Amino acid sequence: MEQYDAFHAIDPFAAATGAFECLQGTLAGPESATLPHQDLEDLIEVRGRELLRLLLQAHLDLRERREREQDEQAGREAVRGMDGKVRPHREPGHSRRLACVFGTVIVTRTAWRGRSMTSVRPLDADLSLPAGLHSHGLRRLAVREAVRGSYDQAKESVEGRCGKVLGKRQAERLVAGAARDIDSFYRRRVPLPATASTTLVLQVDGKGIAMRPEALRPATLKAHLNTPRAMRTRLAPGEKPHRKRIATLACVFDADPAPRRPHDIIAPPDGRSGTRPPRSGPKARAKWLCGSVIHPPEHTIAAAFDQAEARDRDHARTWVVLVDGARHQLDLIQSEADRRGITVHVLLDIVHVSEYIWAAAHCFHQPGTPAAEVWVAGHLTTILHGQATRAAAEITAQAEQTGLHGAKRETAGACVRYLTGHLDQLHYDTALTKGWPIATGPIEGACRHLIGDRLEITGARWGLDGAEAVLKLRAVKDNGDLDAYFTFHLAREHQRLYPTPDQHDYDLTT
């Protein structure tokens, strides 16, 4: 008589089937007949999540059973590790926990061992199990929530959906690990092509992030520790806490030329006639962002040039670079362009120029008066016509005629020095005629969105790895590449954890 095998008689999905029937009975029974819909939603959400967890657990148990049956019945050959050595001893029943979006399950599999050798578990590779406790699905969810709000909010959101499967510190580590392949991802990403007439625009800017003391640059930390303070409990007006580390951000986008005239940007002092509406400027499309708080500015600028060259390998398009006038950025941009043999047209952001003009206007006119507005409109129109030298000379002459002195004379002089020191970047007449953008709206918006809305939330103090990971992941999300990146990242994670002798780099085109 054939021996009865109790192991094969057990249905791995019996517990899930029982949970479903119990939930179905509850919903059909009298105890739920008077429940309002919100209580029904809560009931189905909690019991339904447990049902999904049991389904996943049943599938994992079935995979383990099939592996054991294959080993016992088919006489599976001994397994070799990456070192090429045979693991001759088979040990079934090795278990580990896996926290997933449905809860925590147990994964049981067979280990192949050899003396003084690490164990090999083939089912781990088949399931592509992570090295830690948390599943890739849970990691993806944690990253999506953590780059959108604080870690406390991310933890609360994950717990509301998945139960108590993730702590705050664990979320921080998962986010840092999830960002490790972003640079590799974009080196393999092929941008959409554009015509030779489409302007290729690069923008660069910097913004400070409040850091923990150990994450500050040495000079900033020294200033933080050694700068005497006027008051013990708070900063005096004008004092700086020296707690920030500058992150460099870059933006690359395409823009079809949109020719304009100065009066399309600056209204005449007596207002627009209404006979001709102002022409709109060029629109940014296919925008791509990157940034870093760990690497120096030249690293981010080089990454932006890499992206731009991927869009225009033959250098057939017009390259326009917009900056705020920081001298070190201008030097780095020109150095990178020279190294690659690229001709770039560098322009100052017209908004930054206007701020200097407004500051000078308040030296001659009361703030908030029509006279100040007329003064600003006149000088900005002159500058937009490509006559910045004339505007600087007029401001200097007016300062001498009115006898400005002290702080007002210094403010007017700062405006003149800004204009005369950047004459090569003030060719707005050429830019408007050819339809180039002249403002850094996209990168200014990126600074607010990538850093201000997340990394500058109240009370936040960052370590280097955490700030870098969140900054990069928010850029990937803003680029619309988060799903594609996770596909790439998970493939690379599998390669790192379960390498094969004939392993090749993951190809995004497949």
Side-chain angles (χ1 to χ4, degrees):
M1 178 179 178
E2 184 178 353
Q3 185 177 2
Y4 175 73
D5 191 345
F7 180 79
H8 286 274
I10 298 174
D11 179 10
F13 291 91
T17 302
F20 174 75
E21 292 175 349
C22 181
L23 176 59
Q24 184 182 37
T26 301
L27 294 174
E31 63 270 23
S32 64
T34 59
L35 291 178
H37 83 276
Q38 65 269 22
D39 291 343
L40 291 172
E41 286 179 325
D42 293 340
L43 173 67
I44 294 174
E45 181 182 12
V46 175
R47 301 269 291 273
R49 184 192 308 136
E50 175 62 12
L51 172 60
L52 295 175
R53 190 194 69 81
L54 290 173
L55 285 171
L56 177 59
Q57 182 66 69
H59 176 80
L60 295 173
D61 293 343
L62 183 61
R63 293 278 284 269
E64 187 272 337
R65 174 189 295 185
R66 289 172 177 171
E67 181 188 43
R68 183 183 299 194
E69 290 174 349
Q70 179 183 358
D71 293 340
E72 291 176 350
Q73 297 176 5
R76 184 173 186 172
E77 295 182 359
V79 174
R80 294 179 182 270
M82 273 301 298
D83 54 8
K85 297 180 180 179
V86 174
R87 272 68 170 171
H89 307 298
R90 179 173 64 89
E91 291 185 359
H94 281 241
S95 299
R96 58 161 290 182
R97 297 168 66 234
L98 180 68
C100 66
V101 293
F102 312 124
T104 301
V105 294
I106 304 298
V107 184
T108 307
R109 61 267 198 254
T110 298
W112 293 81
R113 307 181 64 182
R115 186 181 296 275
S116 300
M117 290 184 286
T118 57
S119 299
V120 175
R121 302 175 181 88
L123 189 57
D124 285 8
D126 293 342
L127 292 170
S128 193
L129 295 180
L133 171 66
H134 302 93
S135 72
H136 291 311
L138 185 57
R139 293 175 190 225
R140 182 189 292 112
L141 177 62
V143 167
R144 288 184 182 277
E145 296 297 332
V147 300
R148 184 165 52 186
S150 69
Y151 283 114
D152 288 323
Q153 292 172 330
K155 176 178 176 292
E156 182 180 355
S157 178
V158 172
E159 282 186 358
R161 174 176 171 179
C162 309
K164 294 184 179 297
V165 293
L166 183 69
K168 178 179 176 180
R169 299 303 177 197
Q170 293 171 323
E172 293 178 4
R173 289 194 294 270
L174 293 182
V175 169
R180 65 184 301 183
D181 294 314
I182 291 177
D183 292 339
S184 299
F185 170 73
Y186 278 117
R187 281 195 293 268
R188 291 163 172 78
R189 190 82 166 164
V190 179
L192 293 175
T195 63
S197 62
T198 303
T199 306
L200 185 56
V201 185
L202 293 81
Q203 298 182 354
V204 181
D205 202 356
K207 188 171 179 62
I209 300 174
M211 310 293 288
R212 294 196 290 268
E214 67 272 13
L216 294 171
R217 288 191 169 90
T220 310
L221 178 60
K222 182 178 180 181
H224 174 68
L225 297 175
N226 298 335
T227 300
R229 296 182 180 177
M231 295 185 289
R232 179 177 58 85
T233 57
R234 61 174 296 168
L235 295 174
E239 281 189 326
K240 292 185 178 181
H242 300 291
R243 292 176 181 170
K244 290 189 174 183
R245 183 175 177 131
I246 299 298
T248 305
L249 284 79
C251 177
V252 180
F253 61 87
D254 300 330
D256 292 324
R260 291 175 289 171
R261 297 187 301 180
H263 283 164
D264 292 320
I265 299 168
I266 303 297
D270 55 351
R272 302 186 188 277
S273 64
T275 58
R276 187 182 67 83
R279 302 170 185 171
S280 59
K283 305 297 183 183
R285 54 183 175 83
K287 185 175 64 175
W288 178 86
L289 298 170
C290 71
S292 177
V293 67
I294 291 181
H295 299 293
E298 50 265 32
H299 178 274
T300 302
I301 291 173
F305 271 80
D306 287 341
Q307 171 68 199
E309 276 205 298
R311 300 182 183 211
D312 181 27
R313 298 189 182 280
D314 298 328
H315 304 167
R317 298 166 60 183
T318 299
W319 291 43
V320 175
V321 181
L322 283 158
V323 294
D324 61 6
R327 181 55 59 185
H328 71 284
Q329 286 183 2
L330 290 169
D331 293 341
L332 292 173
I333 289 167
Q334 193 59 57
S335 176
E336 189 68 25
D338 293 342
R339 185 176 71 84
R340 298 171 185 253
I342 302 171
T343 299
V344 296
H345 303 275
V346 182
L347 293 172
L348 291 191
D349 174 25
I350 189 61
V351 177
H352 282 78
V353 176
S354 69
E355 290 174 355
Y356 276 89
I357 298 298
W358 272 106
H362 295 155
C363 299
F364 304 102
H365 304 281
Q366 287 295 323
T369 60
E373 187 176 20
V374 170
W375 192 92
V376 169
H379 285 294
L380 282 180
T381 301
T382 300
I383 293 170
L384 289 171
H385 276 98
Q387 301 176 17
T389 303
R390 174 186 161 190
E394 290 175 351
I395 295 172
T396 301
Q398 187 176 1
E400 293 175 352
Q401 292 172 3
T402 57
L404 283 184
H405 62 278
K408 289 187 175 181
R409 183 58 185 262
E410 175 58 29
T411 300
C415 176
V416 171
R417 290 192 297 272
Y418 184 80
L419 294 176
T420 57
H422 296 89
L423 291 176
D424 290 341
Q425 294 90 44
L426 297 175
H427 296 301
Y428 295 121
D429 52 336
T430 302
L432 294 178
T433 300
K434 295 189 175 182
W436 302 340
I438 61 173
T440 58
I443 194 64
E444 295 288 346
C447 287
R448 290 191 300 270
H449 173 63
L450 298 187
I451 296 179
D453 293 347
R454 175 62 180 95
L455 294 164
E456 286 189 336
I457 58 177
T458 303
R461 295 292 183 270
W462 293 88
L464 271 182
D465 292 339
E468 182 81 353
V470 170
L471 174 59
K472 286 189 170 184
L473 285 167
R474 282 180 70 84
V476 172
K477 184 176 183 296
D478 202 61
N479 293 340
D481 295 332
L482 195 58
D483 290 336
Y485 168 69
F486 266 113
T487 301
F488 176 84
H489 170 65
L490 295 184
R492 294 296 294 267
E493 278 287 283
H494 185 90
Q495 292 174 355
R496 281 187 287 265
L497 292 173
Y498 309 106
T500 57
D502 57 345
Q503 183 181 93
H504 299 287
D505 286 339
Y506 180 71
D507 185 0
L508 282 176
T509 62
T510 59

